[in-house]
Amino acid sequence: MAQEYMDHSSEGYDDVRPVFYIGQHDSARLEPPTDLQYGQILNAGFGFTTTPVTNGHFHQRIKDLVAKSLEEWEKSELPSCHPDPIVPPLTIEDTALFPDTYTSGLVAYSSPWIDLCSSNPVISSISRQALNLEVNYANFCGIRSLIVPGPRDDALKASSGQGVAQFARAIQEALIIGTRLNFIIHLPMYREPGLEETIDNLSSALPKAEKSGSEEPEEIDIFSTWDSWHVIRTTCTYDSRLSVAVRVPRVLPEKQVQSRWFSEPVQYLTFGPSSFQANKSGNPSLSKHHQDMIATMMKLKHSPYILLCDVGPELKDSTETLKEAAASPEAAWPSLSDASQQPTRTTPKYFKANPYASYLRYVESQQEPLSALERSTLSNFQDWLQSPLQPLSDNLESVTYEVFEGDPVKYNQYEAAVAAALSDWAQQKKPTSSSDGAVVIAVAGSGRGPLVTRALKASETTGVPVQVWAVEKNPNAYVYLLRQNQREWGGRVTVVKTDMRAWKGPLVSGTADENPVYGKVDILISELLGSFGDNELSPECLDGIQHVLSKPHGISIPKSYTAHMSPISTPRIHADIAQRLPMDPHGFETPWVVRLWQLDFVAEKVPGHARFQQAWEFVHPLPDATMAMVDARRSGGVVGGGGGSMAGGVGANDHNSRHCHLTFVCRSRGVIHGLAGYFESVLYEPEEAGKELVELSTLPNNIDRKSKDMISWFPIFFPLKQPLYFPPDTELEVSMWRQTDDKQVWYEWMVEAFAWVGPNQRIKVGGSEMCSSRKIACLM
């Protein structure tokens, strides 16, 4: 069977697929594997293995101490004042783990009999000390990762909250002790029977009534283990050295639970024999649902390792192994002629591939190959925080423009929009702003000129003659545009170096210094859109250049754009921002541009409340009445003016301020770390009924329909300073403002959680602070 699976692994070897790192764990192992046993594990198809830190002698010593301490505690006249028992240091009899060349490659597994959750103060104290001894010693030996079995009862279970809090506090202390250790808490995906640790813990010494947990069957709460994990990692303040190992059940829960764990820092997916089912040949296999879940997890940049638990191989001691090796004919030295006929890779018969590991290698070979774009760009940018651009105050570098230009989808859509606009212009015989009948096109914020190239191509495709003006404020990009005009555009483009808001329009006659006469523009093209549509000041920029657009036929591309958002859970990004705080005190006030990937959309799509909801819209060009009011406020011609939307401005940019209040419905309990922001844009809307809009979209549920495979814009993330936990059937009320004081633009946002307690009454169950990006506002 193993060979059957292994034969498939050579297919498609040129494709790049996710790589599986498969480890082995034996819950009955009491000693670290010897060198020969470690070799047996590797030869069976595993890449790493676990090891206990202490042995049976230490376990017995602790049990004796527990029994003695419990007896003294029961006899104490003042139980609240008795001294805590002290666990003596480790001795050579307590462990067989020592620093060695391969020790750093082992994964330590903490003793599963330790009961940090016990309500008995004697047992909980001894357990905490035992864990600290193991942590300290593993840290000394050079171990890099330690798996700690998680609580056996969850925080939401009656009378178990104290235990999970105790466990979390103990892990917080262990993180301080094990300075070089990464801690992985081992928890089931949900409490499916059979996924618990089978070894009795220290509470077994107590009378049945005092033991932790209950033996009575109860209804399974599929989110209860996630709740316990949330208590642990919150207590440990999202420490980057803390992650989780998820026991995969035989029956996978609904997608909501899988998505929740997908968003978490899962270090290991662990599979026991019960997770597998036998195929027609009697060999282990996983259901299609399990395979899909693995495929999803393995597309993460930080994909989890796979840990197979209690599936073999059966390890033999050194003496027995050497005897079998000596007796094996394959172990004899072959003659030169025999050696030349043997394959280069041979495995002695006493090294048998593990059937479970071989099957997972087969699953690995069946993964969808990564596309060239995923390999080179998208995987590297997963959940990587980028500060928003300041295109008006900063001059971008060439490499930044080059990244923008690497997306053909966006420019294909822009070219389609320009071509449609030119075709309609010619078909409807609209008058142009040029003397020779050519349609006058201006590209505002030309950068290195990709939109100029597409405008010229659209002219060639439609046969409509054009005059093209490229307007750019960046002096370095201006030089590049002059070169492009010379080499690529054949001098067909007029390049102008100026801020688009200061441009007076195409120079028709005279010179800029003597008797200038300026004309108008028929089609104004820009790519000023940001991840939220308006966050790079596209409204302010296009307002400032709108005066050059001809009336009444002038066209703006884009015509409009809308901002959209949804509350999300993204623990990794929250932890990343928290780590940056010493160097970046405004981390939680920054709207980050990030390719959101490892996240959970907590809101449901229900009637009247979509998962993604529109915040606001901007349309270009603005009505004349609006522009007249802007000019009046800017010149001080408004009686009683001077305050603006925010004190300090005259209100000249008030028409670009926005506010929204959105309601999202969350049926399952969870936690949110911020708001994911997206945008959609109508580049061109044909005047003739029935013709399709030319659009762009970054919305997850629309991008494939409107602009498939577009990567120019990653989403924007508005973080919350503190994660907001909410119960089941909660309504999240999101308030957001786009603020301005005529000099800069910033956002303010807050989230409130409400639960219904009656047909017409809600109560507030949580809320975030008011967050504001004013200190890092986008300068106009």
Side-chain angles (χ1 to χ4, degrees):
M1 186 285 306
Q3 186 62 40
E4 173 188 344
Y5 286 135
M6 292 170 66
D7 288 342
H8 289 274
S9 63
S10 61
E11 298 178 4
Y13 61 88
D14 288 331
D15 294 329
V16 177
R17 291 180 167 85
V19 178
F20 290 10
Y21 295 95
I22 304 173
Q24 183 255 13
H25 170 66
D26 185 351
S27 61
R29 184 179 296 144
L30 299 178
E31 302 279 352
T34 64
D35 289 356
L36 280 175
Q37 289 175 333
Y38 189 45
Q40 293 173 48
I41 293 170
L42 298 180
N43 283 309
F46 297 97
F48 63 93
T49 187
T50 64
T51 179
V53 180
T54 56
N55 56 22
H57 182 274
F58 181 68
H59 186 192
Q60 186 58 50
R61 187 155 68 88
I62 294 297
K63 287 200 296 184
D64 293 343
L65 178 61
V66 167
K68 179 182 177 181
S69 301
L70 286 176
E71 184 179 352
E72 293 177 353
W73 183 59
E74 291 174 358
K75 294 179 181 179
S76 175
E77 295 181 1
L78 294 174
S80 62
C81 298
H82 77 92
D84 282 341
I86 297 177
V87 179
L90 295 178
T91 68
I92 195 171
E93 285 108 8
D94 295 326
T95 182
L97 179 68
F98 297 98
D100 206 338
T101 53
Y102 69 90
T103 305
S104 61
L106 297 173
V107 176
Y109 201 94
S110 176
S111 297
W113 45 261
I114 292 175
D115 187 6
L116 299 171
C117 298
S118 177
S119 58
N120 185 287
V122 171
I123 292 179
S124 62
S125 176
I126 292 177
S127 295
R128 181 181 56 80
Q129 294 178 62
L131 175 65
N132 289 344
L133 286 174
E134 291 191 344
V135 167
N136 208 354
Y137 187 69
N139 195 59
F140 163 77
C141 290
I143 295 289
R144 289 292 172 259
S145 296
L146 174 71
I147 301 176
V148 181
R152 300 191 184 187
D153 288 316
D154 297 315
L156 294 187
K157 185 177 178 181
S159 74
S160 297
Q162 172 189 341
V164 176
Q166 284 180 184
F167 184 97
R169 174 62 184 83
I171 298 301
Q172 183 188 51
E173 183 177 350
L175 282 163
I176 299 173
I177 296 171
T179 54
R180 293 182 296 275
L181 279 174
N182 294 306
F183 290 79
I184 303 102
I185 310 302
H186 202 181
L187 286 165
M189 185 175 285
Y190 69 95
R191 295 291 177 186
E192 182 184 65
L195 288 184
E196 302 85 0
E197 291 281 356
T198 57
I199 297 176
D200 289 341
N201 58 24
L202 294 179
S203 291
S204 300
L206 294 172
K208 186 174 181 179
E210 295 184 46
K211 292 181 182 179
S212 300
S214 171
E215 297 180 1
E216 296 180 5
E218 297 180 0
E219 183 179 351
I220 296 175
D221 183 338
I222 57 176
F223 281 101
S224 65
T225 55
W226 174 84
D227 266 304
S228 295
W229 160 246
H230 178 62
V231 171
I232 296 166
R233 59 95 176 277
T234 303
T235 303
C236 298
T237 61
Y238 287 76
D239 196 294
S240 61
R241 292 189 292 125
L242 180 65
S243 56
V244 64
V246 177
R247 298 180 189 266
V248 180
R250 184 178 184 85
V251 179
L252 283 179
E254 56 194 62
K255 286 290 186 180
Q256 288 176 318
V257 181
Q258 296 182 48
S259 297
R260 184 68 53 82
W261 285 113
F262 174 80
S263 70
E264 299 292 347
V266 177
Q267 185 67 34
Y268 294 103
L269 291 174
T270 71
F271 296 85
S274 63
S275 302
F276 293 84
Q277 56 190 8
N279 60 16
K280 294 180 180 179
S281 303
N283 298 311
S285 64
L286 292 170
S287 71
K288 182 66 166 59
H289 298 297
H290 285 81
Q291 296 178 48
D292 291 343
M293 184 268 295
I294 292 174
T296 301
M297 297 291 286
M298 290 303 169
K299 287 187 177 180
L300 291 169
K301 180 171 65 173
H302 302 289
S303 59
Y305 292 3
I306 293 176
L307 189 63
L308 290 174
C309 304
D310 300 325
V311 298
E314 181 181 352
L315 302 182
K316 301 175 181 179
D317 60 32
S318 304
T319 304
E320 185 180 353
T321 303
L322 289 173
K323 286 181 179 179
E324 290 191 14
S328 173
E330 286 84 354
W333 290 100
S335 64
L336 291 177
S337 59
D338 291 338
S340 64
Q341 298 176 0
Q342 290 179 347
T344 55
R345 295 178 62 184
T346 60
T347 304
K349 288 182 179 178
Y350 56 90
F351 289 141
K352 295 182 180 179
N354 182 274
Y356 294 89
S358 296
Y359 171 73
L360 285 174
R361 289 298 174 204
Y362 166 76
V363 174
E364 177 188 41
S365 70
Q366 301 303 303
Q367 300 297 292
E368 285 289 330
L370 300 176
S371 67
L373 195 58
E374 287 176 319
R375 295 198 300 267
S376 62
T377 303
L378 295 186
S379 294
N380 294 331
F381 280 98
Q382 281 186 14
D383 298 319
W384 184 60
L385 299 174
Q386 304 171 71
S387 298
L389 293 176
Q390 291 269 13
L392 292 184
S393 58
D394 298 336
N395 289 322
L396 305 182
E397 298 178 354
S398 179
V399 65
T400 305
Y401 290 119
E402 188 174 352
V403 172
F404 298 156
E405 296 164 13
D407 183 2
V409 176
K410 173 178 69 173
Y411 293 108
N412 289 343
Q413 292 295 94
Y414 264 98
E415 183 178 341
V418 177
L422 290 174
S423 296
D424 287 351
W425 198 288
Q427 183 179 355
Q428 297 167 17
K429 299 180 179 180
K430 296 179 182 178
T432 68
S433 298
S434 66
S435 58
D436 58 3
V439 176
V440 180
I441 295 177
V443 179
S446 300
R448 300 200 315 177
L451 284 182
V452 176
T453 301
R454 294 303 184 120
L456 294 172
K457 286 184 178 180
S459 172
E460 295 170 1
T461 302
T462 59
V464 179
V466 297
Q467 290 182 8
V468 181
W469 293 73
V471 182
E472 176 56 50
K473 75 172 182 62
N474 187 337
N476 306 307
Y478 170 72
V479 176
Y480 189 91
L481 289 171
L482 293 175
R483 180 175 178 269
Q484 286 291 92
N485 193 31
Q486 184 183 67
R487 293 191 175 188
E488 303 294 334
W489 304 327
R492 293 177 290 169
V493 178
T494 304
V495 182
V496 180
K497 180 196 168 299
T498 185
D499 187 315
M500 69 180 72
R501 295 168 295 178
W503 190 45
K504 298 179 181 179
L507 186 62
V508 176
S509 63
T511 65
D513 299 323
E514 186 176 349
N515 301 321
V517 176
Y518 297 101
K520 294 293 184 179
V521 170
D522 298 319
I523 300 178
L524 179 64
I525 309 172
S526 67
E527 56 174 328
L528 305 171
L529 300 171
S531 295
F532 205 44
D534 56 78
N535 59 295
E536 293 182 11
L537 304 191
S538 176
E540 285 73 19
C541 292
L542 293 183
D543 287 354
I545 197 175
Q546 177 175 320
H547 64 277
V548 306
L549 202 57
S550 64
K551 298 176 182 178
H553 303 298
I555 296 172
S556 173
I557 298 178
K559 178 181 184 295
S560 64
Y561 36 93
T562 52
H564 303 255
M565 69 176 75
S566 184
I568 62 171
S569 174
T570 172
R572 279 195 183 274
I573 293 181
H574 178 84
D576 189 358
I577 297 174
Q579 289 177 10
R580 296 168 179 246
L581 287 183
M583 299 295 295
D584 184 2
H586 304 305
F588 283 111
E589 300 165 347
T590 301
W592 296 96
V593 173
V594 54
R595 190 197 180 214
L596 295 171
W597 188 259
Q598 193 171 358
L599 80 163
D600 179 27
F601 292 107
V602 299
E604 298 285 339
K605 180 182 178 181
V606 299
H609 300 287
R611 168 172 281 181
F612 304 98
Q613 297 184 31
Q614 180 176 320
W616 48 65
E617 180 182 27
F618 288 92
V619 179
H620 300 286
L622 289 175
D624 291 342
T626 301
M627 295 306 298
M629 179 60 70
V630 170
D631 292 338
R633 287 181 172 179
R634 185 174 290 118
S635 62
V638 178
V639 177
S645 62
M646 299 295 291
V650 297
N653 196 40
D654 271 12
H655 64 289
N656 284 325
S657 64
R658 294 289 189 273
H659 168 247
C660 70
H661 185 82
L662 308 174
T663 301
F664 297 89
V665 177
C666 304
R667 288 180 171 168
S668 303
R669 63 182 178 272
V671 62
I672 69 166
H673 300 93
L675 306 168
Y678 307 88
F679 81 91
E680 292 194 311
S681 175
V682 175
L683 295 181
Y684 180 69
E685 181 179 3
E687 296 181 12
E688 183 178 341
K691 286 189 176 181
E692 291 187 0
L693 304 176
V694 184
E695 298 178 272
L696 299 174
S697 177
T698 64
L699 271 175
N701 57 346
N702 280 343
I703 186 172
D704 286 348
R705 180 170 59 88
K706 296 185 177 182
S707 46
K708 183 176 175 57
D709 296 329
M710 184 178 68
I711 60 168
S712 283
W713 292 278
F714 293 157
I716 197 167
F717 177 63
F718 297 92
L720 299 182
K721 295 179 182 178
Q722 294 295 331
L724 175 60
Y725 182 90
F726 54 87
D729 296 321
T730 295
E731 290 186 346
L732 296 179
E733 302 276 353
V734 176
S735 298
M736 180 174 282
W737 296 262
R738 186 183 196 263
Q739 302 283 32
T740 177
D741 61 3
D742 298 342
K743 298 179 181 178
Q744 54 190 2
V745 171
W746 68 94
Y747 298 94
E748 295 174 354
W749 62 97
M750 64 181 296
V751 183
E752 300 169 282
F754 293 89
W756 287 94
V757 294
N760 301 305
Q761 184 179 8
R762 298 187 309 171
I763 60 171
K764 185 173 179 178
V765 294
S768 72
E769 297 181 40
M770 174 69 76
C771 304
S772 174
S773 63
R774 185 169 190 171
K775 294 180 181 178
I776 52 165
C778 199
L779 302 177
M780 291 173 57

